[in-house]
Amino acid sequence: MSHSFDFGPLETRAELADAARQMLTPLLPYFTPEGSGIRLSALAGAHGEPTASLETFSRALWGLLPLLMGGSEFPNADLWRRGIVAGTDPEHPGYWGTLCSCDQRQVEQPAIALALALKPGVFWEPLSLAERDRVAAWLYQTNGVDIVDSNWRWFRVLVNASLRKLGEKWSLEQLESDLNRIDEFHLVDGWYRDENRIGDYYIPMAMQFYGLLYAKLAEEVDPVRSAELKERATCFAKDFVHWFSDDGSAVPFGRSLIYRMAQGAFWGALPFANVEALPWGEIKGLYLRHLRWWLAQPIFTESGVLTIGYRFLNPAMGESYNAHGSPLWALKALLPLALPGDHPFWQAEEQDLPARSAVSHQPLAGMTLCQDAASGHVFALNQGQPLEGWPRHCAHKYGKCAYSATFGFGVAAGASAGRAGLDCTFALSDDGGRHFRLREKCESPAIENGVLSSIWRPWPDVEVRTWLLPALPGHLRIHRIRSPRELRSSDGGFAIDRQAPGFAELSDHAVTNDAMGSAIFDLHGQRRQTLQIHEPWHHLMWFHAVFPVLFGDHPPGETWLATYVSGWPGRWSDETAAGEGTGWDIEVTDAAIVVRQADKELFWAPV
């Protein structure tokens, strides 16, 4: 059972400040005896204790700092100041320790450094000279060790920028080196590559978010780069707006989804850096609707702390590096609290989403974002990524064909059809369905002429090429399998809640409840249509999820498959579900495969 907060309508700055206090207060009983950590449970993640307790302590500052900067009060803020003093004192039992290369403590340093630099009256000025020296020295350690060559570079940038602002020792050489490396990650128009990934939420909630923080910190000392980062954010906003639904929910994709409303932290970082990438009223609407959607979900424990999960507690969605306090990065979304009430962001009247095209091709993200005008359904078609094995549930988080703000997606509890998390994706088995392999480590991903495509090799001697294209309200999938042996395929639709009011099986290819419906149709290939139940705890949105799926057995050689998949917010009828799959004409010749609807050619590919 989730803790019952009274967040109110979340329409004003005062209501948001009160929500911040409500989310911070449940952490207070969990301070460690040493005072330099917050230990919520025994779930310490890959980095173990005491680093996990430092992580919780530090990430809470992402909510506390803007609250205090904006003039609001939190009566226990001194606990964090005393914790910083203890954690940076080598003689204190709560000492955070000496940093190693690629150390999780580097990830947690920026929130501490920013608190000192941006609210010095609370966190810095009360310290003695000896305490300041120790705090600054502990932060400076990051310049003497290696760091992960990814979005982590921003952590060292923000530490050095904060030390510079405090007048303490900092490294210009390291700052410039890290900023130059981050520039190499930038692709174009505000999109970045993070390690070998593109398109996940580390772009808005890390690359862009930290870039806007630095842009604000460095307006006077680094004006050229500050202006460039703001311009990148302005370009990025034009694409990112397509990832959100009218109700504030966002399309889930990629790793670290347990950070929840950090998905929309970018919209709060824009006003902090005074970047009006869209009209202030539109930014405010995007920001507040996103917070309202998240804070209406059962995402808290009975004691009021954020759980590991997505729309509810489901630890299967976590990563190996997630500990008990990891979800507190969600508090990055509270950054606008740092702004005064007369800032134009807060003064603007909240506006609806701007007019958007129904289909937005975003090759820099490897996605095509779709919005069905009739239903409001927002979903992404995914060309595929060159990832394999990492992170946890990699194929589910990065390789599925479609990702939906309404329907979410599931992950695996095992390898068999009933446990492999086969919704929204294409998978193959070479042992009759006992073990399925999902699409991952895609080759030659591309978006050309409105069609997404990539190649995947589940085994070295098997090649699968998949094409995806919008066909609103749904989408088309075309698969070409080349295999020397017999294979079984699974092509899954969107999953819905089978315990929701009004749940019904309309046919073997469609399900509905009072809130939504989902259907899948075999357009070419003569596959068996059925329904598949998800393993409990392994879907982002529904504890008990079910989805329509197509299973097929294919002989050695070349096989072509064509599928239409549709999901629709709102209750379906038998007639609606049946009508979704009609009007298609599939022609396969020795030269090509052609897909038409109502005599309009939608897809052509050479055989």
Side-chain angles (χ1 to χ4, degrees), residues 30 168 170 178 264 294 356 415 442 477 493 589:
Y30 298 99
E168 296 293 323
W170 62 286
D178 288 330
W294 272 116
R356 300 177 293 173
C442 294
R477 304 175 188 172
T589 69

Side-chain angles (χ1 to χ4, degrees), residues 65-66 69 114 118 209-217 219 230 265-276 280 283 334-340 343 345-346:
L65 175 59
M69 287 177 65
L114 289 166
L118 298 180
F209 182 86
Y210 300 133
L212 287 166
L213 280 178
Y214 179 78
K216 179 65 174 177
L217 282 170
E219 283 175 327
K230 291 179 181 182
F266 169 78
W267 302 116
L270 288 173
F272 180 79
N274 291 313
V275 179
E276 194 175 4
W280 285 127
I283 295 174
L334 299 179
L335 189 56
L337 286 175
L339 302 172
H343 189 280
F345 169 80
W346 286 117

Side-chain angles (χ1 to χ4, degrees), residues 312 496-500 533-537 539 541-546:
F312 56 93
I496 72 168
D497 184 357
R498 63 187 174 94
Q499 290 201 328
I533 295 175
H534 251 300
E535 189 81 3
W537 294 107
H539 194 274
M541 308 294 279
W542 328 117
F543 184 78
H544 294 285
V546 63

Side-chain angles (χ1 to χ4, degrees), residues 297-606:
Q297 310 305 322
I299 58 177
F300 298 94
T301 67
E302 291 183 1
S303 60
V305 300
L306 285 165
T307 59
I308 292 177
Y310 192 71
R311 204 185 67 82
F312 56 93
L313 167 67
N314 51 347
M317 284 309 306
E319 316 293 346
S320 62
Y321 50 81
N322 289 153
H324 47 71
S326 295
L328 286 170
W329 250 355
L331 300 184
K332 291 197 293 187
L334 299 179
L335 189 56
L337 286 175
L339 302 172
D342 60 359
H343 189 280
F345 169 80
W346 286 117
Q347 289 296 307
E349 183 176 347
E350 185 178 335
Q351 295 178 21
D352 294 336
L353 280 165
R356 300 177 293 173
S357 58
V359 175
S360 173
H361 298 297
Q362 299 183 10
L364 296 170
M367 297 283 193
T368 291
L369 274 296
C370 304
Q371 180 191 27
D372 180 58
S375 66
H377 182 206
V378 174
F379 63 96
L381 300 180
N382 173 35
Q383 68 182 24
Q385 299 224 7
L387 296 177
E388 182 180 38
W390 191 92
R392 193 176 178 204
H393 299 305
C394 179
H396 303 80
K397 294 174 180 176
Y398 288 96
K400 293 199 173 190
C401 296
Y403 293 87
S404 164
T406 298
F407 297 94
F409 67 91
V411 298
S416 63
R419 311 189 77 196
L422 300 179
D423 65 306
C424 305
T425 198
F426 187 69
L428 289 170
S429 169
D430 65 352
D431 61 3
R434 292 180 59 231
H435 301 87
F436 274 90
R437 295 191 179 189
L438 281 68
R439 188 174 71 145
E440 60 181 343
K441 199 177 182 181
C442 294
E443 305 170 15
S444 306
I447 302 177
E448 297 176 353
N449 301 318
V451 179
L452 301 85
S453 66
S454 64
I455 294 171
W456 165 53
R457 303 179 194 275
W459 299 272
D461 59 345
V462 175
E463 179 191 278
V464 182
R465 184 165 186 181
T466 293
W467 293 265
L468 305 170
L469 65 156
L472 295 176
H475 67 275
L476 282 173
R477 304 175 188 172
I478 312 296
H479 310 291
R480 185 191 66 198
I481 306 169
R482 290 174 173 169
S483 171
R485 59 189 181 279
E486 183 177 344
L487 296 175
R488 174 167 293 179
S489 69
S490 168
D491 214 352
F494 295 114
I496 72 168
D497 184 357
R498 63 187 174 94
Q499 290 201 328
F503 175 76
E505 299 178 12
L506 299 180
S507 62
D508 57 0
H509 62 260
V511 285
T512 191
N513 57 37
D514 288 347
M516 63 195 65
S518 171
I520 191 167
F521 300 90
D522 184 13
L523 304 182
H524 179 77
Q526 297 182 343
R527 289 168 287 173
R528 175 172 58 91
Q529 297 171 323
T530 186
L531 301 178
Q532 190 73 58
I533 295 175
H534 251 300
E535 189 81 3
W537 294 107
H538 285 73
H539 194 274
L540 271 74
M541 308 294 279
W542 328 117
F543 184 78
H544 294 285
V546 63
F547 58 96
V549 64
L550 301 174
F551 287 115
D553 293 305
H554 315 298
E558 183 172 275
T559 300
W560 284 87
L561 304 173
T563 310
Y564 176 73
V565 181
S566 184
W568 187 287
R571 184 167 184 82
W572 282 19
S573 65
D574 289 292
E575 292 76 14
T576 301
E580 280 289 283
T582 61
W584 298 100
D585 179 42
I586 313 295
E587 180 183 1
V588 181
T589 69
D590 293 338
I593 179 170
V594 181
V595 180
R596 300 183 183 89
Q597 187 180 40
D599 296 326
K600 179 181 179 181
E601 186 172 298
L602 297 181
F603 176 83
W604 177 93

Side-chain angles (χ1 to χ4, degrees), residues 141-155:
Q141 289 181 90
T142 191
N143 294 308
V145 296
D146 293 333
I147 200 164
V148 178
D149 190 29
S150 67
N151 69 86
W152 281 38
R153 294 272 185 172
W154 275 120
F155 303 141

Side-chain angles (χ1 to χ4, degrees), residues 117-352:
L118 298 180
K119 194 62 179 176
V122 173
F123 297 106
W124 180 251
E125 293 168 3
L127 274 55
S128 69
L129 292 179
E131 290 170 340
R132 293 183 188 181
D133 287 344
R134 288 194 292 268
V135 170
W138 187 82
L139 291 170
Y140 188 82
Q141 289 181 90
T142 191
N143 294 308
V145 296
D146 293 333
I147 200 164
V148 178
D149 190 29
S150 67
N151 69 86
W152 281 38
R153 294 272 185 172
W154 275 120
F155 303 141
R156 194 157 56 191
V157 166
L158 293 173
V159 167
N160 276 306
S162 297
L163 289 171
R164 176 175 61 189
K165 188 173 180 65
L166 289 167
E168 296 293 323
K169 181 183 177 182
W170 62 286
S171 174
L172 174 61
E173 178 182 7
Q174 190 64 72
L175 178 72
E176 288 295 328
S177 174
D178 288 330
L179 286 170
N180 289 336
R181 179 60 173 149
I182 290 167
D183 282 343
E184 293 176 2
F185 296 150
H186 183 244
L187 301 171
V188 69
D189 292 341
W191 286 97
Y192 290 80
R193 179 177 296 276
D194 192 13
E195 297 175 303
N196 63 339
R197 306 182 318 277
I198 59 173
D200 67 14
Y201 280 97
Y202 277 84
I203 310 308
M205 76 179 181
M207 292 298 196
Q208 282 289 349
F209 182 86
Y210 300 133
L212 287 166
L213 280 178
Y214 179 78
K216 179 65 174 177
L217 282 170
E219 283 175 327
E220 297 181 1
V221 295
D222 193 357
V224 174
R225 195 183 299 270
S226 176
E228 184 177 30
L229 290 168
K230 291 179 181 182
E231 177 59 28
R232 289 178 189 175
T234 299
C235 293
F236 177 78
K238 305 300 190 296
D239 281 342
F240 193 45
V241 70
H242 291 271
W243 290 63
F244 291 80
S245 296
D246 290 337
D247 64 0
S249 60
V251 175
F253 172 73
R255 68 187 179 106
S256 295
L257 293 174
I258 70 156
Y259 301 148
R260 294 182 169 110
M261 54 266 203
Q263 288 176 327
F266 169 78
W267 302 116
L270 288 173
F272 180 79
N274 291 313
V275 179
E276 194 175 4
L278 302 171
W280 285 127
E282 292 179 3
I283 295 174
K284 186 176 182 180
L286 276 158
Y287 172 76
L288 289 177
R289 285 191 298 274
H290 187 62
L291 284 183
R292 289 186 202 118
W293 188 88
W294 272 116
L295 294 181
Q297 310 305 322
I299 58 177
F300 298 94
T301 67
E302 291 183 1
S303 60
V305 300
L306 285 165
T307 59
I308 292 177
Y310 192 71
R311 204 185 67 82
F312 56 93
L313 167 67
N314 51 347
M317 284 309 306
E319 316 293 346
S320 62
Y321 50 81
N322 289 153
H324 47 71
S326 295
L328 286 170
W329 250 355
L331 300 184
K332 291 197 293 187
L334 299 179
L335 189 56
L337 286 175
L339 302 172
D342 60 359
H343 189 280
F345 169 80
W346 286 117
Q347 289 296 307
E349 183 176 347
E350 185 178 335
Q351 295 178 21
D352 294 336

